[in-house]
Amino acid sequence: MCNNGVMTTDTIAPGLRERKRLATRRSIQLAVLDLVAERGLEGVTIDEVSRVADISPRTFFNYFASKEEALMGNPPELPSGGQVERFVMGSGPGSLLDDITALLISAGEASSNDVEIFHRRHALLKQYPHLFAMRMATMRRFEEEVATVIARRLAVDDPILADDPDRLAERARLITLVSFAAMRHAWTSWAQGESPSKLTERLTESFGELKTLFSSPRARVS
């Protein structure tokens, strides 16, 4: 599927089992958010969260390792199933930017598309700086993972660059920072949007704008 010249993965409706899994995950997160907003983090137990979410504590731990993790939510993750290796080998039909876009959109698909949870979580994390710091640490780790994968791709594309590790790392870092700026733009647009939309749709739009901006030597921000 192509949008604004950016290749994306086709959206396939999840099956019944996956819908139930996502619904349970959302119930747990809403229960944590409700209870922590009412009682504070220290006043909430896993048993209480499980009761409110109508699950067993054992089921809770199938989804989250702790109430703090449930409150923070999942950071983006690189896709599995060989997509990373296909990106590294440049086996996609598009440019490097197209392939990075597809990779990060796949990562975004694993993140929440629930604006309500996003806003409620963001408000609570402001009250707990240590959790906010933990959340930022997970994002930095994800950024480092993306930079490593991009460096591998650059080394495949340019063997001469691969022989200069410092220059390779610098270029990979620059590309990663530009890509993450587009991701942050997408997240902001998604969170502040007046009409409902999916995060992946905003990611596609932001990376499409980025590609358009740099596709012409006379392109400029107006």
Side-chain angles (χ1 to χ4, degrees):
M1 179 176 175
C2 183
N3 186 2
N4 293 328
V6 177
M7 299 302 297
T8 65
T9 55
D10 291 332
T11 302
I12 301 175
L16 178 60
R17 179 177 298 180
E18 178 65 8
R19 292 198 301 272
K20 287 184 175 180
R21 187 189 71 82
L22 293 173
T24 299
R25 190 176 199 87
R26 186 176 193 274
S27 295
I28 294 171
Q29 293 182 11
L30 286 174
V32 170
L33 291 168
D34 286 341
L35 290 169
V36 171
E38 178 184 345
R39 306 181 188 178
L41 185 63
E42 296 303 320
V44 175
T45 67
I46 299 299
D47 286 342
E48 289 173 320
V49 172
S50 301
R51 177 180 54 78
V52 172
D54 196 24
I55 58 170
S56 68
R58 181 176 180 179
T59 299
F60 175 94
F61 288 113
N62 287 336
Y63 288 84
F64 299 101
S66 65
K67 60 185 179 184
E68 288 83 1
E69 183 178 292
L71 177 61
M72 289 187 297
N74 292 328
E77 294 181 352
L78 287 172
S80 57
Q83 186 173 349
V84 169
E85 293 307 313
R86 290 192 293 273
F87 167 80
V88 169
M89 299 309 298
S91 56
S95 65
L96 174 61
L97 180 58
D98 290 334
D99 292 346
I100 291 174
T101 301
L103 192 70
L104 294 181
I105 286 176
S106 293
E109 288 174 344
S111 300
S112 174
N113 273 307
D114 194 315
V115 175
E116 177 190 358
I117 287 180
F118 175 87
H119 284 297
R120 293 176 64 181
R121 175 185 293 129
H122 187 68
L124 280 177
L125 286 179
K126 289 181 178 180
Q127 301 177 29
Y128 299 97
H130 69 291
L131 294 184
F132 182 80
M134 290 170 61
R135 174 73 178 181
M136 291 299 99
T138 62
M139 291 301 298
R140 283 194 294 272
R141 285 195 294 271
F142 176 64
E143 184 178 310
E144 291 169 0
E145 291 172 0
V146 172
T148 298
V149 170
I150 290 176
R152 291 176 59 200
R153 166 65 178 267
L154 294 176
V156 170
D157 288 348
D158 187 348
I160 295 177
L161 182 63
D163 289 334
D164 189 341
D166 290 339
R167 185 164 170 245
L168 176 65
E170 288 177 2
R171 183 169 297 181
R173 174 58 59 190
L174 175 60
I175 294 171
T176 301
L177 291 175
V178 172
S179 300
F180 270 67
M183 285 187 69
R184 283 191 288 271
H185 176 268
W187 280 339
T188 300
S189 299
W190 169 70
Q192 296 178 352
E194 295 181 359
S195 59
S197 67
K198 291 184 177 181
L199 176 57
T200 50
E201 293 173 353
R202 293 295 189 179
L203 286 166
T204 300
E205 292 171 2
S206 291
F207 276 97
E209 288 292 327
L210 183 65
K211 183 176 182 179
T212 300
L213 180 64
F214 287 102
S215 63
S216 170
R218 297 185 64 83
R220 63 182 182 272
V221 179
S222 59

